[in-house]
């Protein structure tokens, strides 16, 4: 039953007998008495809804064009431009043109049923692609069943062209729209304005995370910090940005309008309490404001997190990391298949790079540097030599130029040769690491391979990077490469170790190809 919007929710809750009557401050709720439903929406919600609806309509229109083009292309390729009757014993005078129209309409309906164009899905993560694929396969099965029941003999060639072509075209269409959305978000358009309710440390962490991934579209525009003064006396500085603080956890609704936010992220669940979070959710519902609750578990996500209601109490189950047993065997099998296939493909580039290094500078073709791998074991990591022969002896002269902690890397390194600079720009110098993968010392995807001097300074937390084999590429490779600080590199590596999955490896490999072609952060 929908609660009346005019009545203060908090007042009714206090009159109920509840098992969570802990004395904690709860948000003060003031309901609007405006007659128009839309008038009660905050400015940020109205702005977000406009671009979300516009984006969803554009995606839907392009889906219509893609699906109709795919099914009629299948018909044209299979039967040509003339009239093509369907062989059936139950329906008379049925042509493939009618079948194509019905199939296209059914396809669009299935995509709507699977909510592949829901505003919370499109442009966010792989869930959008999963729903498109699931809906398409479901439709393919439904067509097979209906054809069997109605004794309609649909040409296999027609279906084998229309469905794969349509599925690929739909995925490409969604990807193109997503890239357009990413460009708009990088230009500060189509953003989700977030108000964070929680301590300043978590506000800073969230700001850094969102700023590092602008393609996500989330932007922190304000905060309500427990214990903060009302009215606020200052903000939270994160780099060159200052996040306004609008008071404590009881100032949420005033801050919502002042900051122009459309989404609230709660990290201060202890301060609000169970009842406070519940009342906040009820109060935000008529305003159209999204509410998210951060679980407080850092660097753990994906398949390791599962929501398990126990005795009507929602609990988040954190599963163990997947770097042991059968999962390690699967990863090793994938590495071998990928590397063997990759060596066949890049063999010409491999030989050309080796020849260029040998002819342009004195010294060996390969550089062998000691790295620390799985369980702290040392191994020689192979690379095409991109520096002069005595580069290690000149290291002491350059150390002072780096202010990035243990991650030593400088721009315009004078030790790099001309050919070496080109090899580094496109990561060709790392191709010999495929040999390390064959030897079982590295993986295709994993943490950055560390030096011995780095490992000697590791604390107990950072040493968890050694629980898996280091990788040719990884989260660090697609998130800035040489532009990353030491702390950012460690955080990305630990997040990978804690949340490894085969799907994540495939995504990282695809993003690595894009990063290499754009030579982002490489020097």
């Amino acid at each position: 039953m929908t609660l009346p919007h005019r009545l203060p929710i908090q007042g009714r809750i206090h009159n109920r007998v509840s098992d969570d009557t802990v004395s904690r401050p709860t948000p003060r709720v003031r309901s609007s008495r405006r007659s128009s439903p839309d008038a009660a929406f905050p400015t940020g919600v109205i702005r977000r809804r406009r671009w979300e609806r516009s984006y969803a309509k554009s995606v839907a229109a392009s889906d219509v064009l893609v699906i109709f083009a795919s099914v009629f292309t299948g018909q044209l390729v299979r039967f040509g431009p003339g009239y093509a009757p369907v062989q059936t014993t139950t329906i008379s005078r049925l042509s493939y043109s009618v079948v194509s129209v019905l199939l296209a309409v059914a396809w669009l309906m299935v995509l709507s049923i699977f909510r592949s164009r829901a505003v919370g899905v499109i442009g966010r993560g792989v869930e959008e692609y999963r729903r498109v694929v699931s809906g398409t396969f479901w439709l393919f099965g439904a067509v097979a069943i209906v054809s069997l029941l109605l004794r309609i003999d649909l040409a296999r060639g027609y279906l084998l062209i229309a469905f794969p072509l349509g599925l690929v075209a739909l995925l490409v269409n969604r990807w193109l729209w997503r890239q357009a959305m990413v460009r708009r978000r990088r230009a500060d358009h189509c953003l989700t304005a977030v108000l964070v309710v929680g301590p300043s440390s978590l506000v800073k962490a969230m700001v850094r995370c969102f700023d590092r991934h602008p393609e996500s579209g989330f932007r922190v525009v304000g905060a309500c910090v427990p214990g903060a003064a009302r009215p606020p006396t200052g903000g939270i500085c994160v780099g060159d940005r200052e996040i306004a603080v609008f008071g404590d956890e009881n100032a949420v609704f005033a801050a919502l309008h002042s900051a122009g936010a459309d989404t609230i992220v709660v990290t201060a669940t202890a301060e609000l309490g169970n009842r406070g979070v519940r009342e906040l959710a009820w109060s935000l519902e008529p305003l159209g404001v999204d509410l998210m609750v951060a679980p407080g578990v850092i660097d753990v996500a994906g398949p390791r997190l599962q929501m398990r209601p126990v005795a009507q109490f929602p609990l988040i189950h954190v599963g163990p990391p997947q770097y042991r047993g059968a999962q390690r065997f699967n990863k090793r099998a994938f590495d071998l298949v990928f590397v063997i296939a990759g060596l066949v493909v890049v063999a010409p580039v491999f030989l050309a790079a080796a020849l260029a290094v040998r002819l342009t500078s004195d010294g060996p073709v390969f550089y062998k540097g000691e790295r620390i791998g799985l369980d702290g074991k040392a191994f020689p990591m192979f690379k095409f030599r991109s520096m002069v022969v005595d580069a290690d002896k000149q290291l002491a002269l350059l150390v002072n130029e780096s202010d990035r902690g243990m991650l030593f890397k400088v721009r315009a390194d004078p030790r790099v040769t001309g050919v070496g600079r080109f090899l580094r720009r496109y990561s060709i110098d790392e191709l010999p690491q495929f040999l390390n993968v064959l030897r079982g010392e590295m993986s295709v995807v994993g943490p950055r391979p560390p030096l011995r001097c780095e490992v000697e300074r590791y604390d107990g937390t950072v040493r968890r990077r050694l629980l898996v084999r280091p990788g040719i590429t990884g989260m660090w490779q697609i998130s800035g490469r040489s532009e990353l600080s030491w702390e950012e590199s460690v955080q990305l590596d630990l997040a990978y170790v804690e949340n490894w999955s085969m799907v994540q490896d495939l995504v990282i490999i695809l993003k690595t190809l894009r990063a290499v072609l754009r030579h982002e952060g490489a020097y």
Side-chain angles (χ1 to χ4, degrees):
M1 180 177 69
T2 304
L3 296 175
H5 178 52
R6 295 173 176 242
L7 299 178
I9 296 176
Q10 185 178 354
R12 292 196 307 277
I13 296 298
H14 282 308
N15 294 329
R16 298 181 183 179
V17 178
S18 174
D19 58 355
D20 60 348
T21 55
V22 181
S23 178
R24 290 190 179 98
T26 55
R28 298 189 183 94
V29 181
R30 294 182 176 88
S31 300
S32 173
R33 297 180 179 271
R34 299 173 184 174
S35 58
S36 173
D38 292 339
F41 291 158
T43 305
V45 174
I46 297 175
R47 184 170 55 247
R48 186 198 67 194
R49 288 193 171 191
R50 285 175 180 171
W51 70 256
E52 282 182 342
R53 289 170 180 170
S54 176
Y55 182 72
K57 290 179 181 179
S58 300
V59 173
S62 61
D63 280 349
V64 173
L65 295 177
V66 165
I67 289 177
F68 272 91
S70 299
V71 295
F72 278 100
T73 297
Q75 177 183 339
L76 182 63
V77 172
R78 176 61 179 83
F79 303 106
Y83 174 79
V86 178
Q87 295 182 6
T88 175
T89 59
T90 57
I91 303 176
S92 60
R93 301 180 62 82
L94 181 64
S95 70
Y96 271 97
S97 296
V98 175
V99 171
S100 295
V101 172
L102 294 176
L103 181 60
V105 172
W107 205 336
L108 292 169
M109 292 177 61
V110 167
L111 291 180
S112 296
I113 292 173
F114 276 75
R115 296 182 56 81
S116 68
R117 292 185 292 269
V119 293
V121 172
I122 51 177
R124 302 183 189 275
V126 299
E127 178 63 18
E128 178 184 2
Y129 300 134
R130 189 194 67 80
R131 295 190 184 188
V132 170
V133 173
S134 298
T136 300
F137 276 98
W138 186 91
L139 177 63
F140 186 84
V143 168
I145 295 174
V146 171
S147 300
L148 180 63
L149 294 177
L150 298 181
R151 298 180 181 179
I152 301 175
D153 187 13
L154 293 178
R156 295 182 181 87
Y158 166 68
L159 297 177
L160 290 177
I161 294 174
F163 273 108
L165 178 62
L167 178 58
V168 172
L170 280 172
L171 294 177
V172 171
N173 176 55
R174 297 300 181 93
W175 181 82
L176 292 175
W177 276 110
R178 180 171 296 187
Q179 298 308 304
M181 177 61 70
V182 168
R183 288 193 294 270
R184 296 203 65 187
R185 285 172 171 170
R186 291 184 184 276
D188 292 338
H189 299 292
C190 301
L191 298 176
T192 297
V194 177
L195 175 70
V196 182
V197 182
S200 58
S201 60
L202 292 181
V203 174
K204 292 180 180 180
M206 201 162 290
V207 171
R208 294 191 187 100
C209 183
F210 292 160
D211 288 349
R212 191 165 56 242
H213 300 281
E215 67 280 358
S216 67
F218 282 74
R219 173 71 62 83
V220 177
V221 295
C224 290
V225 180
R230 297 184 66 190
T233 57
I236 300 175
C237 294
V238 184
D240 56 351
R241 291 183 56 194
E242 183 176 358
I243 306 301
V245 176
F246 294 94
D248 60 11
E249 66 273 16
N250 294 312
V252 171
F253 289 92
L256 188 65
H257 294 275
S258 300
D262 56 70
T263 299
I264 292 180
V265 176
V266 176
T267 63
T269 54
E271 285 77 6
L272 289 176
N274 184 27
R275 185 178 63 189
V277 174
R278 181 176 57 190
E279 290 183 0
L280 181 61
W282 288 346
S283 303
L284 294 177
E285 181 181 354
L287 300 179
V289 178
D290 290 341
L291 176 64
M292 302 181 181
V293 179
V297 182
I298 306 300
D299 293 333
V300 178
R304 291 187 59 195
L305 293 181
Q306 294 181 354
M307 180 66 73
R308 291 187 178 180
V310 178
Q312 297 184 345
F313 196 88
L315 298 177
I316 296 178
H317 174 73
V318 182
Q322 302 296 316
Y323 45 72
R324 297 292 183 188
Q327 294 295 334
R328 175 176 287 187
F329 174 80
N330 293 339
K331 184 174 177 64
R332 179 61 181 156
F334 171 80
D335 288 342
L336 292 176
V337 173
F338 182 89
V339 166
I340 292 174
L343 284 174
V344 174
V345 174
V346 303
V349 179
F350 198 100
L351 295 175
L355 187 62
V357 173
R358 187 68 184 88
L359 296 178
T360 56
S361 63
D362 296 330
V365 172
F366 297 108
Y367 169 79
K368 292 192 296 184
E370 184 189 55
R371 295 295 188 272
I372 306 301
L374 179 66
D375 297 328
K377 297 178 181 178
F379 69 94
M381 188 183 73
F382 301 112
K383 297 180 69 174
F384 282 123
R385 183 174 56 83
S386 60
M387 294 185 176
V388 296
V389 176
D390 60 345
D392 292 338
K393 298 179 180 179
Q394 303 178 25
L395 180 63
L397 300 176
L398 300 172
V399 169
N400 292 333
E401 296 185 25
S402 175
D403 59 352
R404 299 173 59 241
M406 288 190 250
L407 261 181
F408 176 74
K409 198 97 170 184
V410 294
R411 293 182 179 273
D413 194 324
R415 302 173 299 166
V416 179
T417 63
V419 170
R421 189 165 291 108
F422 177 84
L423 297 180
R424 287 181 165 214
R425 185 184 183 115
Y426 295 99
S427 299
I428 300 175
D429 62 319
E430 298 177 2
L431 290 181
Q433 293 171 25
F434 279 21
L435 303 177
N436 290 115
V437 177
L438 290 177
R439 288 158 53 110
E441 298 160 340
M442 294 183 65
S443 181
V444 176
V445 182
R448 184 185 59 84
L451 297 167
R452 181 180 293 274
C453 61
E454 297 177 24
V455 175
E456 290 174 350
R457 297 168 62 184
Y458 280 178
D459 57 20
T461 301
V462 183
R463 289 193 68 87
R464 291 186 64 83
R465 299 171 73 187
L466 306 179
L467 292 174
V468 298
R469 292 184 178 91
I472 298 176
T473 184
M475 294 294 295
W476 48 277
Q477 183 85 345
I478 63 175
S479 303
R481 303 170 76 180
S482 299
E483 301 292 343
L484 293 174
S485 67
W486 163 252
E487 291 77 13
E488 291 171 332
S489 177
V490 169
Q491 183 180 8
L492 290 172
D493 284 344
L494 291 178
Y496 174 82
V497 172
E498 296 295 328
N499 304 294
W500 173 84
S501 69
M502 288 300 302
V503 174
Q504 184 185 33
D505 277 7
L506 293 174
V507 172
I508 291 175
I509 290 173
L510 293 176
K511 289 186 176 182
T512 298
L513 296 176
R514 182 179 63 180
V516 168
L517 293 176
R518 295 180 178 179
H519 46 82
E520 298 171 344
Y523 52 84

